[in-house]
Amino acid sequence: MLELESRSARKARVAALPAFLGQRITYLLAGAATAGVYYVLLGLGLLLTRNSVPYLFLVVGCHFVTVVTVYPAYRLVVFRGCTVGWITGYLRFYAVGLTFLGVSVVGLPLLVEFAGIPLMAAQALIILLSPPLSYLANRFWAFRATGIA
């Protein structure tokens, strides 16, 4: 026998989809977009400078531009319920980003110079290891409401 789903049941199921996807999935999608922005900037920087600028300087510059560019998306889409002010939230977001920038600045020379891994592949490896820690730091510190432990 064929069962037909009512409109209200269908609407309820569709309304539950965002809750099912949740903040973690949205964060992963935003992280993928962030990595894309960063990779495009770093790739363009490497092409335009043709090794006349040390790659670590490019990494730092591209990181800064990426963080400034993507912060509004994290604020408005991923962590929409954030009650921390925009500037405070940005400074916390950037502090979390600086931690992972530090990992890149230390890890890249080890992977590139000593292990012989190409720069973009080494950076991809570092980025793949950082999302779980980054999510926790952003969720419970950068975008947490003031007064909540």
Side-chain angles (χ1 to χ4, degrees):
M1 178 182 271
L2 178 65
E3 285 188 38
L4 296 177
E5 185 178 35
S6 71
R7 276 191 181 168
S8 59
R10 207 170 330 130
K11 283 182 183 179
R13 188 173 43 84
V14 170
L17 187 59
F20 174 76
L21 292 176
Q23 189 178 54
R24 289 180 193 104
I25 299 298
T26 307
Y27 182 81
L28 288 174
L29 294 173
T34 299
V37 168
Y38 173 79
Y39 265 69
V40 166
L41 292 173
L42 185 58
L44 286 173
L46 290 167
L47 285 173
L48 293 174
T49 62
R50 299 176 198 246
N51 295 326
S52 64
V53 175
Y55 67 85
L56 289 179
F57 287 120
L58 290 174
V59 165
V60 171
C62 292
H63 178 267
F64 176 76
V65 172
T66 300
V67 170
V68 169
T69 304
V70 302
Y71 173 70
Y74 279 83
R75 174 70 186 223
L76 297 171
V77 178
V78 180
F79 298 105
R80 345 177 234 267
C82 179
T83 59
V84 174
W86 273 75
I87 293 173
T88 301
Y90 174 76
L91 293 174
R92 289 179 180 181
F93 183 71
Y94 198 70
V96 171
L98 284 176
T99 302
F100 295 99
L101 175 62
V103 172
S104 287
V105 168
V106 171
L108 281 175
L110 293 173
L111 294 172
V112 171
E113 308 300 330
F114 296 112
I117 299 173
L119 175 64
M120 295 302 272
Q123 185 64 82
L125 181 62
I126 290 171
I127 287 174
L128 287 173
L129 298 174
S130 66
L133 297 174
S134 177
Y135 174 77
L136 293 173
N138 279 310
R139 171 72 175 93
F140 293 108
W141 183 64
F143 291 99
R144 72 167 168 81
T146 308
I148 295 175

